[in-house]
Amino acid sequence: MFSYTDFFSAQIEALKQQGGYRTFLEIERRAGSFPAALKYGPGDGRRISVWCSNDYLGMGQHPLVLAAMKKAVDETGAGSGGSRNISGNNHYHVELERELADLHGMESALIFPSGYAANDAALTVLGGRLPGCVVFSDALNHASMIAGIRHSGAEKHVFRHNDVDHLEELLAGTDPALPKVIALESVYSMESDIAPLERIAELAEQYGAFTYLDEVHAVGMYGPRGAGKAAELGIEGRFDVVQGTLAKAFGTAGGYVAGPAPVVDAIRSFAAAFIFTTSLPPAVAAGALAAVRHLKRSERERTQLARKSLMLQELLRDHGIPVVSEAAHIVPVLVGDAVKCQNVARRLLDQHGYYVQPINSPSVPVGSERLRVTPTPHHSDDEVLAFAHALDAIWESERLPRRTLAPTLA
């Protein structure tokens, strides 16, 4: 008789042999002392330093955010009590959507429990409702965007990563009468490179395409008031829908889309991933609201993040440690081997107390395994220097190749 458990046990064992098995480090972030955390498991309570957090600006511990969440818990309780349609439409949700629409200069915004849900829902509706829609998707788009496009049932064309000539070739070969959606990210988190936003906006206008821009790794960190990369370039008005997250620069949880009111209303009205899910806890929305408002008026966190990222990039360049790109705040250190990538991460943690999660397939292609390092404004200069020296020593011990990478221009 077929054994289901034996089958999946063999699948997991094969994954382990390939070096692609993922382990989760149990930690407890320490509010007020981030990036410090406590590590659980063997050696419970050991103090470590987190170097791979998506809380890019440390807003998850900002006093204004914590105070807003505590106040909301006292006022509203723990959960929302339902979906947005059935008793779960809290005043904090509505205020947050107004604030996000204003951030992006859009008519309307809609929040979701996660950024994944926002992408899946929005692209399912856009691609599925537009008659005969053809979607053009960057080859390195996030899994949530790929899922939404697939769920839409729309015809899909994948253009080579950031290759505007290939995109134009695909657009030119498509019936001009058909609706077209170009889906892309502004900052690609595993590559830390920037999309050619201005040229893509030009192509969209030339070929009559609707643009869907994922700015999850840019909102809060780039542009006036933290509105993202398109805003930094002064072209935010040339993208139809912007998708963002509350879980990175804004330090809480959730995702959102912002755009023209009829488009956002269509997503609200037709997206199953929005209609049939419990809304964000009001306290989370309150914390996100406080973070968005603060980062609209404060440049300090963005300035400090940029300085720390540049410092680490320069140190690694001096050591000949390969970095995939230097165009954004994320520092993806290329190892190129799944097992060695895990070894480097393990030694950083065990020997130095630095936590960096190894990134293996399927997040990145086999042979391009990397450490996705994210310095924050709260890492001191001394900590950045010590981290670079520790990585350099391990790099030498593991006999990993060195090279010099010229900075990539955004």
Side-chain angles (χ1 to χ4, degrees):
M1 182 179 292
F2 183 82
S3 171
Y4 297 94
T5 55
D6 287 349
F7 172 81
F8 286 111
S9 293
Q11 294 276 300
I12 293 298
E13 185 57 36
L15 187 63
K16 289 179 178 179
Q17 293 299 320
Q18 296 162 8
Y21 183 71
R22 299 181 183 206
T23 59
F24 302 151
L25 188 69
E26 184 181 355
I27 66 171
E28 181 179 300
R29 299 190 342 149
R30 308 305 295 168
S33 60
F34 180 76
L38 298 182
K39 171 185 173 294
Y40 287 86
D44 273 358
R46 180 189 177 194
R47 189 179 175 93
I48 63 171
S49 179
V50 179
W51 284 84
C52 55
S53 176
N54 280 341
D55 188 0
Y56 295 135
L57 299 177
M59 290 302 295
Q61 66 171 7
H62 195 284
L64 290 174
V65 175
L66 300 185
M69 295 187 73
K70 291 172 184 175
K71 180 175 182 289
V73 166
D74 288 340
E75 291 175 347
T76 69
S80 67
S83 67
R84 291 290 292 278
N85 184 52
I86 304 176
S87 83
N89 187 41
N90 188 272
H91 179 64
Y92 286 114
H93 298 141
V94 177
E95 284 296 298
L96 177 57
E97 287 170 344
R98 289 172 180 161
E99 203 72 39
L100 290 167
D102 174 77
L103 175 66
H104 294 289
M106 297 291 192
E107 292 180 335
S108 185
L110 189 68
I111 59 173
F112 291 80
S114 73
Y116 191 107
N119 269 334
D120 189 358
L123 286 167
T124 295
V125 170
L126 291 173
R129 289 275 163 175
L130 290 167
C133 182
V134 182
V135 180
F136 302 84
S137 176
D138 187 284
L140 294 188
N141 276 344
H142 191 265
S144 58
M145 301 175 75
I146 296 169
I149 296 166
R150 183 187 304 117
H151 293 156
S152 76
E155 180 182 340
K156 179 181 75 171
H157 295 285
V158 178
F159 59 94
R160 291 184 293 270
H161 178 52
N162 282 347
D163 189 334
V164 290
D165 291 334
H166 189 212
L167 173 59
E168 182 169 20
E169 178 185 325
L170 294 172
L171 287 165
T174 301
D175 184 346
L178 292 177
K180 292 172 278 292
V181 173
I182 301 174
L184 70 152
E185 300 180 43
S186 60
V187 177
Y188 288 84
S189 70
M190 294 302 168
E191 307 297 309
S192 197
D193 60 351
I194 312 297
L197 296 178
E198 189 163 11
R199 180 59 182 143
I200 288 175
E202 291 171 354
L203 288 175
E205 292 161 6
Q206 180 180 347
Y207 289 94
F210 187 94
T211 46
Y212 184 91
L213 180 62
D214 177 319
E215 290 248 45
V216 296
H217 297 283
V219 290
M221 291 167 292
Y222 298 95
R225 306 192 304 161
K229 269 291 176 183
E232 183 180 66
L233 297 171
I235 57 172
E236 64 271 33
R238 298 172 69 181
F239 290 89
D240 296 296
V241 168
V242 170
Q243 186 266 349
T245 183
L246 307 168
K248 294 180 171 62
F250 299 126
T252 55
Y256 67 90
V257 292
V263 176
V264 174
D265 198 19
I267 296 168
R268 183 191 70 88
S269 300
F270 297 121
F274 176 80
I275 296 169
F276 299 105
T277 193
T278 301
S279 61
L280 277 179
V284 174
L289 179 61
V292 172
R293 286 174 171 167
H294 173 75
L295 289 174
K296 278 183 174 181
R297 60 179 181 264
S298 174
E299 290 292 333
R300 183 174 60 86
E301 292 85 359
R302 286 188 279 276
T303 300
Q304 290 181 348
L305 174 63
R307 190 176 71 79
K308 298 297 169 62
S309 295
L310 288 171
M311 179 182 178
L312 181 58
Q313 290 166 354
E314 182 177 349
L315 287 167
L316 297 184
R317 196 185 318 131
D318 290 344
H319 288 307
I321 295 175
V323 173
V324 178
S325 171
E326 296 181 355
H329 61 283
I330 302 163
V331 184
V333 177
L334 182 64
V335 180
D337 179 274
V339 174
K340 288 186 176 182
C341 192
Q342 290 182 336
N343 288 345
V344 173
R346 176 183 51 78
R347 292 182 62 181
L348 281 170
L349 181 63
D350 293 346
Q351 297 172 14
H352 302 279
Y354 299 141
Y355 171 39
V356 183
Q357 189 70 21
I359 305 296
N360 296 334
S361 174
S363 297
V364 295
V366 173
S368 67
E369 293 81 2
R370 64 200 63 182
L371 302 174
R372 183 180 174 276
V373 184
T374 54
T376 73
H378 299 281
H379 288 97
S380 69
D381 288 1
D382 287 344
E383 288 174 316
V384 174
L385 184 62
F387 177 87
H389 287 166
L391 182 59
D392 177 55
I394 294 171
W395 208 266
E396 185 69 23
S397 178
E398 292 286 334
R399 300 179 182 274
L400 289 165
R402 296 178 185 266
R403 62 185 173 90
T404 301
L405 181 69
T408 301
L409 298 179

